Amino acid sequence: MGPSGSGKSTLMNILGCLDTPTKGQYILNGTDVSKMEDDRLAEIRNKEIGFVFQTFNLLPRYTALENVTLPLIYAGVPRHEREDHAVKTLDLVGLGDRMTHKPNELSGGQRQRVAIARALINRPEILLADEPTGNLDPHNAMEIMGLLEKINRRGTTVIVVTHSHEIVDMMKKRVITIDRGMVIRD
């Protein structure tokens, strides 16, 4: 948590192996990822870390099912396994009945659920959510946060970046406040 420009997204990008720290170390599961090559970082991002963004980042020409299967294609999973797993994951997020719909045929909350399903498809240990409710109305925002809480209860570490006190009050597991690149409260 922290104000705009405080370093929340930068920290998220480092945790997600999208950026490397300029100094220090980042140890993930006993491995110093701050010194890894790009190919190995891409493998870690695909298998160990799921990403949910405020803007959904769905491909408009693809159905919900096709959007969710994309990470599995990159992981080399056979087609029949991809579709079966994607169907189960879409069911998990409550969209089993919307699999054939394209993003423009879905509400904002449904699009975010597709994005969450895509982030979960490779069963990551960590789910990073950068302002996952920023483009949603209050009702859909609470539904998405309830879904993230459910995912956390199932054993996935969920890290949410927000400046919303309502979201913080809902999650309440651990709140780290950042300002000007520094942790000011934990």
Side-chain angles (χ1 to χ4, degrees), residues 70-97:
L70 283 174
L72 295 175
I73 293 170
Y74 296 122
V77 175
R79 183 184 182 105
H80 68 280
E81 288 179 39
R82 288 194 307 255
E83 289 191 9
D84 183 53
H85 187 47
V87 166
K88 289 176 185 171
T89 306
L90 282 165
D91 281 338
L92 172 73
V93 300
L95 286 179
D97 61 337

Side-chain angles (χ1 to χ4, degrees), residues 34-182:
S34 56
K35 308 240 186 306
M36 283 186 176
E37 299 293 324
D38 288 343
D39 289 349
R40 180 71 178 113
L41 289 172
E43 186 179 320
I44 287 173
R45 283 191 301 270
N46 190 41
K47 293 182 179 172
E48 297 184 39
I49 302 169
F51 296 90
V52 179
F53 301 100
Q54 179 177 352
T55 55
F56 317 129
N57 293 337
L58 300 177
L59 298 175
R61 293 188 199 143
Y62 288 9
T63 65
L65 184 66
E66 292 166 333
N67 268 285
V68 172
T69 60
L70 283 174
L72 295 175
I73 293 170
Y74 296 122
V77 175
R79 183 184 182 105
H80 68 280
E81 288 179 39
R82 288 194 307 255
E83 289 191 9
D84 183 53
H85 187 47
V87 166
K88 289 176 185 171
T89 306
L90 282 165
D91 281 338
L92 172 73
V93 300
L95 286 179
D97 61 337
R98 307 292 284 179
M99 286 185 268
T100 60
H101 290 75
K102 293 184 177 176
N104 68 341
E105 300 169 328
L106 301 170
S107 71
Q110 290 169 331
R111 281 181 270 180
Q112 192 61 295
R113 286 174 183 270
V114 172
I116 291 169
R118 183 185 55 204
L120 292 173
I121 196 73
N122 280 332
R123 296 180 180 104
E125 294 179 38
I126 301 170
L127 181 67
L128 301 174
D130 194 358
E131 296 285 356
T133 61
N135 284 332
L136 302 176
D137 61 80
H139 173 74
N140 278 313
M142 290 302 117
E143 282 190 0
I144 293 300
M145 292 312 299
L147 177 59
L148 292 176
E149 192 171 20
K150 175 183 170 184
I151 291 163
N152 180 245
R153 282 193 309 269
R154 292 179 68 151
T156 302
T157 298
V158 178
I159 300 172
V160 178
V161 167
T162 188
H163 57 264
S164 166
H165 289 283
E166 292 83 15
I167 299 301
V168 169
D169 288 343
M170 192 172 176
M171 296 303 279
K172 282 197 179 176
K173 303 262 185 206
R174 180 176 181 187
V175 179
I176 298 172
T177 306
I178 299 172
D179 194 13
R180 290 173 266 174
M182 302 293 294

